[in-house]
Amino acid sequence: MSYETILTDIRGTSDLKTGVITLNRPKAMNALNDQLMDELGCALMGFERDDTIGCIILTGSEKAFAAGADISAMKDYDFQKVYGSNYISRNWETIRSVRKPVIAVVQGVALGGGCELAMMCDMIFAADNAKFGQPEIKIGIIPGAGGTQRLPRAIGKSKAMDMVLTARMMDATEAERAGLVSRVVPLDKLMDEALGAALVICGYGQLSVMAAKESVNRAFESGLSDGVMFERRIFHSLFATADQKEGMDAFLQKRAPNFVNG
């Protein structure tokens, strides 16, 4: 498909493919408007449906992953508009239905909705120039795309309160130390690092990868006993797959497995 606010690409080999989506509103520092979020959702679901794609990378520009939601579009909204149109829930939440792993690759600023979009991904790889923040309080609102919910789960209540109430930004080093970011990489090595991780993920069986993602996400949405029971049942179910048999046979035979995603 042809998009106006994002770019799409497929990287990797014939059997280990990663879908790459690049936010592309450079004049607006990739501010997130309805068109961009609609196109992003469409691209995500396209890669989700493509059985040859094993992982997805979401990135922006060197200066900005995304500077936030598009305030120029939001400023004239009223309650009837945002509630009636189901603003944010209508199209931002598409990423939550993607079962394949999604890696946010953040360069420059990820502020407001940009930080929230990165947190909707499964892991965040950050360049050493990355900065994260939830500055909505400065314009008379609060984070509305999960910032007050996902941020405390990632970095704890105290640091989340600090960021949300003072609007201060967190650099990449602090973000990794606090648990928001999984890896910090020099800017010129960032995409190679992310593609390398994606290649590793693509080499595993897709059923076990999706099951692992679903199980980890369950930890954030349930109590420990329910979460462990969910994990146990998913673990049991994977013994019905060909990839489990192949993986264990390959291990015992000291060879590389040949997963068939079944």
Side-chain angles (χ1 to χ4, degrees):
M1 290 186 63
S2 176
Y3 299 110
E4 296 180 0
T5 63
I6 64 171
L7 303 172
T8 60
D9 190 17
I10 295 176
R11 308 279 186 92
T13 62
S14 59
D15 56 346
L16 298 172
K17 293 182 181 178
T18 297
V20 179
I21 303 172
T22 304
L23 307 180
N24 188 40
R25 296 188 69 207
K27 293 181 179 178
M29 294 189 72
N30 294 332
L32 307 171
N33 61 10
D34 267 344
Q35 181 184 6
L36 187 151
M37 298 312 294
D38 285 340
E39 292 185 354
L40 174 58
C42 183
L44 285 167
M45 296 314 296
F47 286 148
E48 173 77 355
R49 290 188 295 268
D50 187 340
D51 290 338
T52 69
I53 301 292
C55 191
I56 301 170
I57 286 175
L58 176 60
T59 192
S61 69
E62 184 173 321
K63 292 183 178 179
F65 176 75
D70 193 334
I71 297 172
S72 65
M74 284 195 300
K75 69 181 181 66
D76 293 325
Y77 290 174
D78 56 19
F79 173 77
Q80 288 82 358
K81 167 68 175 178
V82 294
Y83 184 74
S85 67
N86 206 16
Y87 180 53
I88 295 177
S89 300
R90 182 182 65 79
N91 47 10
W92 289 55
E93 299 288 314
T94 303
I95 193 169
R96 295 186 61 206
S97 64
V98 176
R99 301 176 69 196
K100 296 174 183 177
V102 182
I103 303 173
V105 175
V106 176
Q107 308 167 78
V109 295
L111 303 178
C115 185
E116 291 169 308
L117 179 60
M119 288 191 290
M120 290 181 193
C121 298
D122 299 305
M123 61 188 93
I124 301 174
F125 286 14
D128 48 13
N129 75 335
K131 293 184 178 180
F132 301 85
Q134 297 291 165
E136 289 89 346
I137 201 82
K138 296 171 72 172
I139 56 171
I141 57 173
I142 68 169
T148 67
Q149 304 303 303
R150 292 188 179 92
L151 193 60
R153 285 166 167 79
I155 66 176
K157 175 183 174 182
S158 185
K159 278 191 174 290
M161 282 288 193
D162 189 5
M163 292 180 69
V164 170
L165 295 182
T166 71
R168 82 172 184 90
M169 288 191 286
M170 178 182 284
D171 66 21
T173 301
E174 183 181 2
E176 182 183 32
R177 188 171 63 243
L180 179 62
V181 165
S182 58
R183 304 187 195 182
V184 176
V185 183
L187 179 61
D188 61 343
K189 304 275 196 316
L190 179 63
M191 185 56 75
D192 287 342
E193 182 84 2
L195 286 168
L199 183 66
V200 170
I201 293 169
C202 290
Y204 300 134
Q206 284 192 17
L207 291 178
S208 57
V209 167
M210 290 190 294
K213 168 177 172 169
E214 188 175 10
S215 297
V216 172
N217 282 333
R218 188 69 170 229
F220 288 87
E221 298 170 3
S222 65
L224 179 59
S225 59
D226 289 341
V228 169
M229 181 57 70
F230 181 86
E231 174 194 81
R232 195 68 35 76
R233 293 295 177 250
I234 294 295
F235 172 76
H236 290 162
S237 71
L238 289 171
F239 280 77
T241 67
D243 282 346
Q244 174 265 330
K245 303 295 186 293
E246 168 62 12
M248 293 190 179
D249 284 346
F251 177 82
L252 293 173
Q253 295 166 16
K254 295 181 172 54
R255 60 174 176 82
N258 180 29
F259 293 121
V260 296
N261 301 322

